[in-house]
Amino acid sequence: MRMKMKRCTVLILMLMSAAVFAVTDKSAVNELEKLSTENNSTEAQFKQSKNSKSWNNNQYNTGGRLVCESVRGQRQHCRADTSGGVRLVKQLGYNKCQGNWGYDYYGVWVTNGCRAEFQVDRYQQHYGQTEDVLRCESYSYRRQTCATNLQGADVQLIHQLSNRNCSGNWGFNQNEIWVANGCKADFRIVRNNYTGPGSRDGIVECRSTGTRVEHCQVPDLQSVELIQEIGGSYRNSCRGNWGYSSHGLWVRNGCHAQFSVVEYQEPSYSNQPGGQGREVYCESNYGQVKTCRADTSGRVEFVQQLSSASCDNRWGYDANGIWVKDGCRARFMTFPGSVGNQAPVTESFEVKCKSRRNNLKLCDTKGPFRDVELIREISKGKYPCTGNWGVNPQGQLFVTNNCYAEFKVYR
C-alpha cells in the first residue's frame, strides 16, 4: 500500500513539474518580462556622464557580468554595453531588487539599496538568438529611422531604453523602424511565416484581453471583414473595437472574433478593358506612416479623402507604393505606365528640393508633370526623406521636416 502511494506521489509530482515547465516555456516564448523604466537616464544625464573625467576609465563593461550597487538608497548608474539586454543573476544585498533596477542605452541602474550581479545576455537567454533584435534611438527629440528589410514581419518593442515614453513615438513600415520625441528602444523583428488566406480559407482569429490593444500579424491586405464575434457579452462587443493598421489587424476592449482576410495581390491590368486604373485604399492609424502596396509605375491620382484629418501634404508615393501619415485616410487611383490614356513621356529632368526649419517646401518643377521619383537622398541620417516628401492633391511636389533630396521629374 505504501509503495503504491509513493508511486502515485511521484507520478503526480512529475505531471505537475511538466505542467509548470510547459507554462513557463510558453510564456517565455510569447513575451519578455517587462522591467521598470522609471529611472532610465535622460539625455541630460547621458551628456553629463559623457563629459565627466571618468568616462574613459574601466567602468564600462563590454560583456559578461558586472556588479552595481545603490548606496544609501540613491540611484546609481553603472556603465555597460547593454546591446544584448541585461538580466539580474544574483541579488547580493538585503534590500529587494525587484522593481528597483533596469537598464538604458548605456548602462545599468539600481535604486533603493539594490545591490546585485548582472549578466549582459538577456535577449539570448530568452529568445535563443539575437539576430532579429534591433536598437533604434531618437536623440534631441528628432525623428530617426533605422533601415531594415522587414519583408512583412511584425515588430515588437521589447525594452524601452529612454526616460521618454515610447508610446505613440515609434512605428514601422516595409523597410524601416522609426522612433521620435526622444524614444530609444530595443525592438524584436518577428519573422513568423504567415500561412496566408490559402490555408484556413483566409480566416484569422484575433483576441484582446481587457482594455489592451492587441495586434495579430497578417500580410498586406486588400480587404478585411469581421465574420464571427466570439466574445459573448455586450462588454466584449467588437463594434468600434477592431481595425487594420500598419501593425496589422488590431482588436481592443475585450474584442474576440474571427475575420475574413483577402491578401493583397499584385495588380494585373491586362484584364482591364481600356487600361482602366485600379483603386487603392490607404489609412494612417495612430498618426503613423503607412505604406500601402500599389503599382506606382505610372500615374497616381488622389480620389477622395475619407478621414476627418486633412490629407494635404500627408500622402505621396514611391517605388514601394502609396504612403499616408498623420491620420490621413483616402482612396487613390493608380494607372500603369504602359496603359491608359496617358501621353508618352517625352521629357525628364532632375531637380533638388530642400526643406528648412522643418517647414513645407513646394518644389519648382517648371509646371505640371506626369510622374516623379526620388533618386538621391541628400539629407541622410538625422533628416530622412521617407514619409517626408510627396505630391499633394494639387499635383505639386513637396518636401518637409528638413528633407533634402534630388528628384527625377517626368513631363
Side-chain angles (χ1 to χ4, degrees), residues 269-286:
Y269 293 92
S270 58
N271 298 326
Q272 298 185 21
Q276 296 178 359
R278 185 184 184 93
E279 185 176 280
V280 176
Y281 169 87
C282 202
E283 175 181 8
S284 162
N285 286 290
Y286 310 116

Side-chain angles (χ1 to χ4, degrees), residues 232-288:
S233 65
Y234 177 78
R235 181 182 177 185
N236 292 336
S237 173
C238 289
R239 182 179 298 175
N241 290 318
W242 71 275
Y244 176 65
S245 70
S246 56
H247 286 293
L249 181 65
W250 61 265
V251 290
R252 65 185 178 190
N253 293 333
C255 173
H256 181 195
Q258 288 184 338
F259 300 86
S260 172
V261 298
V262 177
E263 188 173 358
Y264 174 86
Q265 300 294 329
E266 291 292 343
S268 174
Y269 293 92
S270 58
N271 298 326
Q272 298 185 21
Q276 296 178 359
R278 185 184 184 93
E279 185 176 280
V280 176
Y281 169 87
C282 202
E283 175 181 8
S284 162
N285 286 290
Y286 310 116
Q288 297 176 357

Side-chain angles (χ1 to χ4, degrees), residues 74-88:
Q74 300 297 311
R75 177 187 183 272
Q76 176 65 38
H77 190 276
C78 303
R79 292 183 58 214
D81 176 6
T82 64
S83 58
V86 179
R87 63 186 174 96
L88 189 152

